[in-house]
Amino acid sequence: PDLLPACNGEITTMSFLQDIVDILLQYVVKSFDRSTKVIDFHYPNELLQEYNWELADQPQTLEEILLNCRTTLKYAIKTGHPRYFNQLSTGLDMVGLAADWLTSAANTNMFTYEIAPVFVLLEYVTLRKMREMVGWPGGCGDGIFSPGGAISNMYAMLIARFKMFPEVKEKGMAAIPRLVAFTSEHSHFSVKKGAAALGIGTDSVILIRCDERGKMIPSDLERRILEAKQKGFVPFLVSATAGTTVYGAFDPLIAIADICKKYKIWMHVDGAWGGGLLMSRKHKWKLNGIERANSVTWNPHKMMGVPLQCSALLVREEGLMQSCNQMHASYLFQQDKHYDLSYDTGDKALQCGRHVDVFKLWLMWRAKGTTGFEAQIDKCLELAEYLYNKIKNREGYEMVFDGKPQHTNVCFWYIPPSLRGMEDSEERMSRLMKVAPVIKARMMEYGTTMVSYQPLGDKVNFFRMVISNPAATHQDIDFLIDEIERLGQDL
């Protein structure tokens, strides 16, 4: 009760916020200190019992509030730590962090120019720049920042359906034929999730076979499209993936674009993970053909290291998002305002309330320039190649697929000494299945590093190493290898 807007609250507020800033700054410095743990791991029941997290009727003192903040950060995973490799979004960018703090202080909503003038203009400028990098002439088209790649992919599906059957907006699914969408068997689960949410149904998402590197096979796509048409279904969307979640594979976009053109199907590219490569002159060839897409998902919070969350959906045709989503709410989007209404972006979004996500990306882009992002991305890809070269012929390692990785995903098995002489058998498989989870559990208990693992198809649990944190170095890669061997020797 002593803080602003309480009367005479200025002094208390200033010293409280100063304390908070000190806690935050200490955490930031610790995040980059390799001698600190990535994680101070406790099991859920331990954390629940060790502290009182319950909400009470009576207020706590500010000292207790500061303690709550310290405790929360004590057990937070240091996602900016140079040895945190667990997710596609890692790292901690100082300019991005500053932008996030400013965004929170400004505390406004993205729906109208009236209440977010600068933010709305920055979104306009940034999305146009991103569309330019996709290769659409003059950055033409439309777009929106959404709460993550899953929602961006769902927007694409929503807009593709509306483009083909505009009556679905008023009449619903009962008024239109049975739709089918196509995506690779390695694509992100959000494609099916979007189909479920939109009433299209997960059975209407047809998974296309991939080659051994995880790329969609175009001939299989064409075969499945023809099959669906023969059954009387209407193919309305193909979602190609630029940078798959596990293998980091890039679907052959030019061949897919040819097929989409031939059958008049909306082409979406889910570049949530691989979109950042458009910033790199050395690597953007992997997305050749993306300029032919009707829509693109691109998450700057992954490869570009923008603080969470920051995901963009880009659409080639202007005005389509608006007609698909607008509801003309008269209390928000009054038609007789005194400024250009095209800057009121709220009516083309699914959300009403929408967080300001653009400022982090815009400010980082100003601070680094495109060349700074390029250097950061090239460095991460170089580190992945370094890891690949280090383990491809190393005793105790087996690569999940041949050839150097196209993205920073490096997928491998660690084979403990006890399994090295064994010939391929059921027993070897079932023992190998258990190796990665045990090593991962030990990593977390020691708190030294974090890497993701998973099974895929008929392949038992393997490590999926990804690098998107520019703070990581060759030494961190060396450390990871040594750590896996230290923790897995006895298995």
Side-chain angles (χ1 to χ4, degrees):
D2 312 331
L3 299 177
L4 285 172
C7 54
N8 304 327
E10 289 92 337
I11 292 169
T12 326
T13 302
M14 284 318 226
S15 80
F16 170 70
L17 289 178
Q18 198 59 60
D19 289 341
I20 289 287
V21 168
D22 291 342
I23 291 172
L24 293 173
L25 295 180
Q26 280 165 24
Y27 182 76
V28 167
V29 171
K30 247 190 182 159
S31 281
F32 296 101
D33 176 358
R34 287 175 175 77
S35 70
T36 66
K37 290 179 163 193
V38 175
I39 170 182
D40 182 354
F41 182 77
H42 287 62
Y43 287 95
N45 55 343
E46 295 175 340
L47 268 186
L48 279 171
Q49 283 157 20
E50 205 167 321
Y51 296 92
N52 174 19
W53 306 99
E54 294 308 313
L55 297 163
D57 293 343
Q58 297 309 312
Q60 290 195 306
T61 65
L62 289 181
E63 280 65 46
E64 288 172 303
I65 296 303
L66 288 168
L67 193 61
N68 294 157
C69 293
R70 285 197 186 92
T71 305
T72 303
L73 283 181
K74 174 172 161 55
Y75 297 110
I77 314 296
K78 295 196 194 85
T79 56
H81 196 291
R83 291 174 182 167
Y84 173 79
F85 303 110
N86 207 63
Q87 248 56 46
L88 302 182
S89 46
T90 63
L92 184 57
D93 187 275
M94 294 307 112
V95 174
L97 184 62
D100 226 347
W101 289 350
L102 184 144
T103 300
S104 292
N107 190 32
T108 192
N109 215 315
M110 279 303 285
F111 39 57
T112 60
Y113 179 83
E114 186 176 321
I115 61 162
V118 177
F119 295 138
V120 163
L121 294 178
L122 295 184
E123 185 169 67
Y124 172 77
V125 166
T126 307
L127 287 168
R128 189 181 60 202
K129 177 74 172 173
M130 290 171 85
R131 290 192 298 268
E132 221 170 83
M133 301 193 79
V134 163
W136 294 333
C140 68
D142 209 335
I144 197 129
F145 282 92
S146 86
I151 304 294
S152 294
N153 287 342
M154 188 166 87
Y155 266 118
M157 202 172 257
L158 183 72
I159 296 162
R161 178 175 71 176
F162 176 80
K163 173 74 177 170
M164 194 175 268
F165 294 106
E167 64 272 27
V168 73
K169 182 176 173 180
E170 286 80 23
K171 305 276 185 289
M173 288 294 283
I176 66 171
R178 165 92 185 265
L179 301 178
V180 283
F182 304 85
T183 190
S184 92
E185 55 189 2
H186 284 208
S187 69
H188 194 261
F189 66 85
S190 57
V191 179
K192 281 194 163 185
K193 194 169 266 210
L198 297 176
I200 292 162
T202 56
D203 286 354
S204 301
V205 177
I206 295 170
L207 299 182
I208 306 302
R209 291 219 316 272
C210 291
D211 65 17
E212 66 289 342
R213 291 293 307 257
K215 300 167 180 285
M216 188 195 288
I217 300 171
S219 59
D220 194 52
L221 172 64
E222 186 159 23
R223 183 177 72 79
R224 301 301 297 268
I225 288 171
L226 289 168
E227 219 171 74
K229 286 168 85 89
Q230 275 157 6
K231 290 181 182 158
F233 303 151
V234 177
F236 81 108
L237 170 125
V238 172
S239 180
T241 315
T244 59
T245 317
V246 180
Y247 281 9
F250 290 81
D251 284 345
L253 301 181
I254 294 173
I256 292 169
D258 289 342
I259 292 169
C260 289
K261 185 181 174 187
K262 180 171 171 183
Y263 297 102
K264 299 187 174 56
I265 303 173
W266 183 282
M267 177 181 172
H268 174 62
V269 174
D270 176 2
W273 174 221
L277 269 54
L278 291 169
M279 310 292 279
S280 162
R281 284 166 293 196
K282 186 175 170 189
H283 294 286
K284 67 176 181 200
W285 62 270
K286 295 165 187 176
L287 295 104
N288 281 351
I290 194 170
E291 70 287 347
R292 294 177 59 189
N294 298 92
S295 56
V296 173
T297 292
W298 175 355
N299 288 8
H301 71 221
K302 293 197 166 92
M303 201 61 209
M304 290 162 67
V306 177
L308 288 158
Q309 58 203 13
C310 186
S311 170
L313 174 79
L314 310 170
V315 183
R316 193 183 350 165
E317 185 181 326
E318 204 177 342
L320 197 55
M321 286 193 86
Q322 188 78 7
S323 35
C324 175
N325 293 323
Q326 70 185 359
M327 289 295 152
H328 305 290
S330 56
Y331 69 93
L332 201 52
F333 308 114
Q334 303 89 337
Q335 294 305 294
D336 45 10
K337 291 182 180 179
H338 63 330
Y339 58 81
D340 176 354
L341 293 175
S342 70
Y343 291 106
D344 281 3
T345 54
D347 220 6
K348 69 183 179 195
L350 278 180
Q351 299 165 267
C352 178
R354 191 159 67 87
H355 186 258
V356 175
D357 290 328
V358 66
F359 190 62
K360 299 171 284 200
L361 171 58
W362 180 84
L363 203 66
M364 280 172 68
W365 210 325
R366 295 281 282 202
K368 292 177 199 290
T370 307
T371 54
F373 272 126
E374 175 179 50
Q376 185 176 314
I377 286 163
D378 287 354
K379 180 189 171 184
C380 290
L381 279 131
E382 190 277 315
L383 282 175
E385 200 171 328
Y386 172 79
L387 169 64
Y388 166 72
N389 288 331
K390 194 173 158 109
I391 63 175
K392 66 178 175 190
N393 301 317
R394 188 181 178 100
E395 194 192 0
Y397 289 84
E398 258 176 53
M399 304 310 297
V400 173
F401 56 82
D402 291 332
K404 77 174 204 198
Q406 277 214 295
H407 206 348
T408 69
N409 308 51
V410 184
C411 298
F412 61 91
W413 287 282
Y414 170 69
I415 318 285
S418 69
L419 293 183
R420 284 177 204 170
M422 275 180 87
E423 70 280 3
D424 236 346
S425 64
E426 279 293 304
E427 196 207 339
R428 184 180 186 270
M429 285 293 240
S430 69
R431 284 177 61 184
L432 186 55
M433 182 81 179
K434 298 181 183 120
V435 172
V438 173
I439 294 177
K440 170 69 176 270
R442 290 176 178 180
M443 278 177 181
M444 289 179 71
E445 299 206 336
Y446 281 104
T448 47
T449 184
M450 279 176 78
V451 186
S452 171
Y453 72 84
Q454 67 284 303
L456 186 71
D458 58 357
K459 295 177 166 58
V460 298
N461 283 322
F462 55 87
F463 286 111
R464 177 206 65 172
M465 173 69 176
V466 280
I467 303 159
S468 59
N469 183 355
T473 61
H474 292 123
Q475 286 80 5
D476 295 312
I477 305 294
D478 297 343
F479 172 84
L480 173 80
I481 298 296
D482 294 341
E483 196 62 357
I484 286 175
E485 292 174 1
R486 178 178 83 88
L487 298 173
Q489 273 302 325
D490 62 331
L491 296 177

